[in-house]
């Protein structure tokens, strides 16, 4: 009270230039070192405010709930800036979808009469495991639109979201975008002029598959990699000059729909979070027992992908459970809980090309127990393959 009485009623805003930095969010880079994605004040806010309004058909009487973590880009764009700029009534939730029980989401939907709901395929797959009964305990009549983001949504998860959660009344709005794009760039309702290119950079027409790129700039695109503008240009604009390169693969079907097929580079998507193989490999490599590490993804029923790590140990070191646990802990501490490896395989040698490059393509097949290894003509020593198959880590996670 004492302080309040002495304070002014006026609070002059801090005036910013439209291109002043708004925030920096770090995202994985395919070379291992995370990139500081820098967004600026006006373009970003204009873009997230507009896409929020149009893509979710936001109306003043809506109650909107995005389940993301506020510290990631989805939370920045579609919990904080986009909804607030529209004056939207929002539910903010800090907690787990499974605590105190697996009906938590639907209980909240009914309690606050949520109309627009936005979540990730990994959350849908997690809840799917418990069947429809926990969903049907609540009536969810308020729901109108169901959004999804973070990774390709698999048909089973889409069907469950549409039929069980939305009772076939609510459109499922898939939104493709990235930390770098600031906001949605491919959705059912609006898209930023996408194109699909082949390896030589030619634009493909009709049904096809290739690199997903964007032909026009948009207000919310990142402005630079903080402290390294050169890296910004190289990562997004060098491979195909004149286009923004997303790094994802994409298929266009005969009806003109775009199907995102996943990353074309050495990136993994664990529960909707991007990680680079290089970043996990260097965390493993910092352990004294590890001479070399190679990391690939293995498909996971809930997380989408999970980490499968091959480690070559330093001479004289034996592989055992204690070391395995230590290595998992090491990655968890260096990168974060999301990056905790599911599998660590002892690999006395790794498949390499004659020029010494680790063939992750082959390791990915071994991790997934796929016997058709494709073209092995560049492999330096083929005897390592059989050994790696024999020592595969089996079993569910
Ligand atoms: C990568 C970006 C966008 C906020 C969360 C992740 C994948 C994202 C989709 C989608 C298929 C998707 C892509 C993309 N991704 N949304 N709807 N369908 N894939 O942000 O950590 O910057 O990751 O996530 O691979 O490149 P991010």
């Amino acid at each position: 009270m004492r302080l309040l009485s002495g304070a002014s009623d006026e609070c002059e805003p801090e005036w910013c230039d439209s291109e002043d930095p708004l925030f920096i969010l770090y995202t994985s880079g395919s070379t291992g070192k995370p990139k500081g994605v820098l967004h600026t004040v006006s373009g970003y806010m204009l873009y997230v405010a507009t896409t929020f309004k149009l893509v979710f058909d936001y109306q003043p009487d809506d109650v909107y709930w995005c389940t993301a973590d506020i510290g990631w880009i989805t939370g920045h764009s579609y919990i904080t800036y986009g909804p607030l700029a529209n004056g939207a009534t929002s539910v903010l939730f800090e907690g787990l979808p499974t605590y105190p029980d697996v009906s938590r989401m639907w209980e909240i939907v009914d309690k606050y009469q949520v109309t627009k709901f936005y979540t990730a395929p990994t959350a849908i797959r997690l809840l799917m495991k418990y069947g429809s009964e926990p969903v049907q305990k609540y009536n969810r009549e308020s729901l109108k639109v169901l959004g999804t983001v973070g990774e390709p949504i698999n048909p089973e998860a889409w069907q469950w979201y549409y039929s069980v959660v939305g009772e076939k009344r609510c459109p499922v709005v898939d939104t493709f975008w990235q930390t770098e794009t600031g906001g949605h760039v491919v959705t059912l309702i609006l898209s930023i002029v996408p194109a699909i290119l082949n390896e030589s950079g030619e634009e493909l027409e009709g049904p096809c598959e290739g690199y997903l790129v964007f032909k026009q700039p948009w207000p919310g695109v990142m402005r630079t990699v903080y402290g390294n503008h050169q890296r910004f240009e190289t990562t997004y604009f060098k491979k195909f000059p004149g286009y923004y390169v997303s790094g994802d693969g994409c298929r266009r079907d005969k009806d003109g729909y775009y199907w995102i097929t996943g990353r074309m580079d050495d990136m993994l998507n664990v529960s909707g979070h991007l990680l680079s193989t290089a970043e996990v490999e260097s965390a493993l490599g910092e352990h004294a027992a590890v001479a070399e590490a190679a990391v690939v993804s293995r498909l996971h029923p809930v997380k989408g992908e999970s980490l499968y790590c091959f480690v070559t140990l330093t001479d004289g070191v034996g592989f055992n459970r204690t070391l395995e646990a230590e290595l998992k802990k090491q990655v968890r501490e260096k990168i974060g809980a999301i990056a905790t490896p599911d599998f660590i395989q002892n690999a006395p040698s790794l498949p390499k090309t004659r020029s010494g490059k680790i063939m992750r393509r082959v390791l990915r097949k071994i991790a997934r127990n796929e016997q058709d290894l494709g073209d092995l003509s560049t492999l330096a020593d083929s005897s390592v393959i059989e050994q790696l198959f024999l020592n595969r880590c089996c079993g569910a996670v």
Side-chain angles (χ1 to χ4, degrees):
M1 274 322 268
R2 197 161 43 81
L3 289 175
L4 270 180
S5 61
S8 164
D9 290 343
E10 306 273 309
C11 178
E12 184 64 13
E14 181 68 34
W15 293 101
C16 297
D17 186 87
S18 62
E19 285 298 301
D20 278 347
L22 180 62
F23 62 81
I24 300 164
L25 260 189
Y26 280 79
T27 187
S28 299
S30 54
T31 53
K33 203 164 160 250
K35 304 177 290 250
V37 170
L38 187 139
H39 284 291
T40 54
V41 173
S42 295
Y44 170 84
M45 286 208 267
L46 171 70
Y47 195 67
V48 296
T50 311
T51 47
F52 170 77
K53 189 167 171 4
L54 299 179
V55 173
F56 299 127
D57 183 30
Y58 168 71
Q59 302 293 332
D61 58 352
D62 272 327
V63 177
Y64 167 81
W65 181 21
C66 167
T67 68
D69 189 314
I70 218 156
W72 297 82
I73 192 67
T74 308
H76 277 56
S77 301
Y78 297 111
I79 294 180
T80 314
Y81 293 99
L84 288 183
N86 281 278
T89 304
S90 306
V91 174
L92 302 185
F93 174 69
E94 173 76 46
L96 293 173
T98 49
Y99 183 85
D101 62 57
V102 299
S103 295
R104 187 75 196 268
M105 301 284 213
W106 324 118
E107 181 198 338
I108 294 175
V109 165
D110 277 9
K111 180 169 178 190
Y112 296 107
Q113 294 292 292
V114 172
T115 56
K116 310 282 162 80
F117 181 72
Y118 194 27
T119 196
T122 185
I124 299 167
R125 289 192 300 262
L126 172 71
L127 295 174
M128 248 170 88
K129 288 203 305 192
Y130 302 96
S132 45
E133 192 262 336
V135 186
Q136 284 156 356
K137 267 172 61 186
Y138 294 90
N139 74 42
R140 295 155 282 113
E141 272 166 7
S142 55
L143 288 175
K144 290 183 180 157
V145 171
L146 300 173
T148 161
V149 58
E151 60 187 302
I153 181 162
N154 51 309
E156 297 75 20
W158 193 98
Q159 284 297 349
W160 193 81
Y161 200 27
Y162 179 67
S163 310
V164 178
V165 176
E167 298 191 346
K168 305 190 178 175
R169 282 187 298 106
C170 310
V172 171
V173 179
D174 192 1
T175 59
F176 170 87
W177 59 293
Q178 309 174 301
T179 305
E180 294 90 328
T181 67
H184 307 148
V185 281
V186 182
T187 74
L188 291 173
I189 289 120
L190 61 93
S191 293
I192 294 299
V193 201
I196 301 179
L197 307 185
N198 65 15
E199 192 63 53
S200 348
E202 291 151 355
E203 258 185 72
L204 303 172
E205 303 291 334
C208 62
E209 186 164 346
Y211 291 89
L212 175 66
V213 300
F214 296 96
K215 295 205 307 190
Q216 270 178 16
W218 61 98
V221 68
M222 70 186 283
R223 296 299 195 268
T224 191
V225 170
Y226 182 63
N228 195 345
H229 196 69
Q230 177 84 47
R231 188 169 178 203
F232 172 57
E233 292 183 355
T234 319
T235 311
Y236 305 98
F237 303 101
K238 193 163 162 220
K239 189 172 171 69
F240 300 120
Y243 299 95
Y244 169 92
V245 181
S246 69
D248 283 278
C250 184
R251 183 166 68 77
R252 188 167 46 220
D253 68 19
K254 60 175 177 16
D255 303 315
Y257 284 104
Y258 287 73
W259 298 75
I260 313 294
T261 53
R263 304 289 310 187
M264 304 279 265
D265 45 20
D266 285 332
M267 305 282 254
L268 311 162
N269 193 324
V270 179
S271 299
H273 297 298
L274 269 200
L275 295 168
S276 78
T277 54
E279 138 185 68
V280 181
E281 284 162 10
S282 71
L284 286 166
E286 284 172 34
H287 193 285
V290 175
E292 187 164 48
V295 175
V296 296
S297 71
R298 182 164 132 157
L299 301 179
H300 185 283
V302 172
K303 297 193 269 193
E305 294 182 339
S306 64
L307 293 176
Y308 191 112
C309 312
F310 295 86
V311 291
T312 307
L313 301 181
T314 1
D315 261 358
V317 178
F319 190 78
N320 55 36
R321 292 264 163 208
T322 318
L323 177 61
E324 186 183 339
E326 248 177 57
L327 293 177
K328 287 187 180 175
K329 185 161 163 264
Q330 165 114 352
V331 178
R332 188 189 168 97
E333 279 170 5
K334 297 252 173 229
I335 305 178
I338 203 87
T340 312
D342 277 346
F343 297 100
I344 299 200
Q345 175 172 345
N346 182 19
S349 39
L350 292 165
K352 293 190 179 170
T353 61
R354 275 171 248 276
S355 59
K357 270 192 146 189
I358 297 176
M359 297 174 77
R360 291 197 185 72
R361 170 176 72 76
V362 173
L363 291 173
R364 199 174 301 129
K365 298 245 171 166
I366 295 171
R368 298 173 183 200
N369 202 18
E370 293 168 7
Q371 308 284 334
D372 173 18
L373 298 180
D375 182 3
L376 291 180
S377 53
T378 56
L379 181 64
D381 172 8
S382 55
S383 68
V384 302
I385 304 281
E386 196 183 338
Q387 201 53 46
L388 288 172
F389 265 116
L390 282 174
N391 291 337
R392 271 186 77 244
C393 309
C394 307
V397 194

